[in-house]
Amino acid sequence: MAKQSIVPFGPQHPVLPEPVHLDLVLEDEVVVEAVPSIGFVHRGLEKLVETKDFKQYVYIAERVCGICSFGHGMGYCQCLEKIMNIELPPRAAYLRTIWMELSRVHSHLLWLGLLADAMGFESLFMQSWRLREKVLDLFDMTTGGRVIFSVNCVGGVLKDMDQTMLKTIAAATREMEKELRPLAETFLKDYTVGHRLRGLGVLDAEHAKLMGAVGPMLRASGVAFDVRKLGYAAYGELDFDPVTASDGDSFARCEVRIKEIFQSLDLIRQAVGKIPDGPIAAPVKGNPNGEHFMRIEQPRGEAIYYVKANGTKFIDRFRLRTPTTSNIPPMLEMLKGCQLADVALLILTIDPCISCTER
C-alpha cells in the first residue's frame, strides 16, 4: 500500500493568483482527496446593505469582483427593479447586454492568457492579453472605467452610447474576431495543449448536473444550459444557442470558452444593430418593499441574487451565490486521481474566482 502524504496547495501559487487553499492527500504523486479551506478574503460585503441605502449599494455589489463587476451590479439592480415594479427601458436593456457581453469577452481572454502562461506559452499569454486590452479600451470609451464601470443604476443605466461609439464597438468586434482566429487555432490544434488538457479532469454530464456545475464547466460536459436563454435584459431578442462540448475534460472547457468569445462578439454586433432609441433609465419612486430572486449568466456560469427589502431605503438582505461556489464541489471530485503536477492546470480550467466566492 502506498504511503499517503498531505501537501498544502495555496493560498498563493505562481500559476493561480487566487487565494484558494487545498490540502491535497497524495499516494505517491496521485491525488486521492482534496480538502478545501474557504475563507481568506472575507470582506463582509453582504452585511453592508444595512449601512448603505439601496441606491448606494449598487457600487458595493459591483465590487464583489473586478472581472465580474458589471454582472454583479446588473443582477442586484434587476432584483430591485422587480421588487419595485420598474419597467426597464428597452435601450437600457440593450446597453446592459452589450456591456455584459464585453465583460464575458474580457473575462474569457484573461482566463485564456492565464491558461497559456500555466503551460509555458509566454507569447500566447501576451497575445491573449493584448487582445483583451482592446476590450478594456472599449469600456474606457463608453463608461470611463476599465474594470469597475459604475454605469448600472436601479431603473437602467447612467451612461448612453452615441452612434459613433456603437459603430466603433461593432468595428472593433470584427477586428478582434480576425485576430482571435489564429489564437483559437493554436489553443485547439497545438499538440502540447492537447497533450496537457485532453483526458484531464473528466466530468460527465450526469455528475456535472448532480454536483451542481454551472457555466462553461457544465456545458463542456454536454449540458446545453445557459441562463441567458431565459431572456433577461435584451437576450430574448437575440439569436444564439448555448455553446457545448461533449468530452467533459479540461480541453472541452477550453474549447467552450474560446467558442463563447466568438459568440459574444456576434451577440454584441446583433445588439448594436437592434438597439432602439429612447431613455436609458426609468424614474425610481419610493423605497423597495418585498423580495426577489434573480439569475444571470456570468462569464463563469449561473450567478444567483436575492434581495429582501422592508420599505425603507436600507434593505434587509442581499445574498449572492457565485458560479465558483457551485463549481468547487465538482472540481474537488475531478482532482481525485490526477497527478500532482496537473493540479494547478486542472483548477485553472474551472476559471475560479475566489474573491467572488468569499464575500
Side-chain angles (χ1 to χ4, degrees), residues 94-304:
Y94 272 87
L95 289 170
R96 282 182 178 179
T97 303
I98 292 169
W99 278 317
M100 188 68 235
E101 289 309 304
L102 284 171
S103 296
R104 197 178 314 278
V105 174
H106 144 60
S107 177
H108 283 353
L109 285 172
L110 181 145
W111 173 82
L112 207 56
L114 292 177
L115 181 71
D117 183 57
M119 291 185 289
F121 283 94
E122 293 296 329
S123 61
L124 205 54
F125 162 76
M126 295 303 292
Q127 291 297 321
S128 299
W129 279 40
R130 182 185 61 81
L131 200 53
R132 170 178 167 260
E133 280 295 313
K134 297 192 175 187
V135 184
L136 300 186
D137 289 341
L138 294 177
F139 283 135
D140 194 5
M141 176 186 72
T142 55
T143 70
R146 288 169 60 83
V147 178
I148 303 290
F149 316 129
S150 299
V151 288
N152 275 304
C153 66
V154 179
V157 293
L158 295 173
K159 294 184 179 180
D160 202 352
M161 297 185 200
D162 58 30
Q163 282 303 311
T164 302
M165 288 181 178
L166 292 170
K167 289 178 181 177
T168 301
I169 289 172
T173 60
R174 285 189 286 269
E175 188 63 31
M176 287 175 64
E177 196 167 289
K178 291 178 185 176
E179 294 186 41
L180 182 61
R181 291 198 183 280
L183 279 181
E185 187 89 358
T186 303
F187 274 105
L188 298 179
K189 295 188 177 180
D190 183 82
Y191 170 80
T192 304
V193 175
H195 183 72
R196 288 297 308 274
L197 298 182
R198 288 190 187 277
L200 176 65
V202 177
L203 184 69
D204 61 42
E206 182 180 351
H207 281 87
K209 290 185 283 187
L210 185 66
M211 305 195 75
V214 296
M217 191 170 177
L218 176 66
R219 293 190 286 275
S221 297
V223 182
F225 178 76
D226 190 318
V227 181
R228 291 176 292 178
K229 295 299 288 184
L230 298 178
Y232 65 89
Y235 288 111
E237 299 172 37
L238 304 179
D239 181 30
F240 70 102
D241 292 309
V243 176
T244 61
S246 56
D247 292 342
D249 58 6
S250 294
F251 186 85
R253 292 188 280 277
C254 178
E255 181 184 1
V256 166
R257 289 192 181 94
I258 288 174
K259 289 181 178 178
E260 281 191 359
I261 299 174
F262 288 107
Q263 182 186 65
S264 292
L265 295 174
D266 178 63
L267 286 171
I268 292 165
R269 288 195 294 271
Q270 286 188 50
V272 168
K274 293 182 177 181
I275 189 169
D277 293 328
I280 60 170
V284 178
K285 299 177 181 178
N287 294 319
N289 190 9
E291 58 183 345
H292 193 74
F293 171 99
M294 171 64 66
R295 299 186 292 168
I296 75 166
E297 185 74 21
Q298 285 276 30
R300 292 162 174 80
E302 178 191 53
I304 296 175

Side-chain angles (χ1 to χ4, degrees), residues 50 74 185 189 224 281 283 336:
E50 298 174 10
M74 184 171 80
E185 187 89 358
K189 295 188 177 180
K336 295 178 181 177

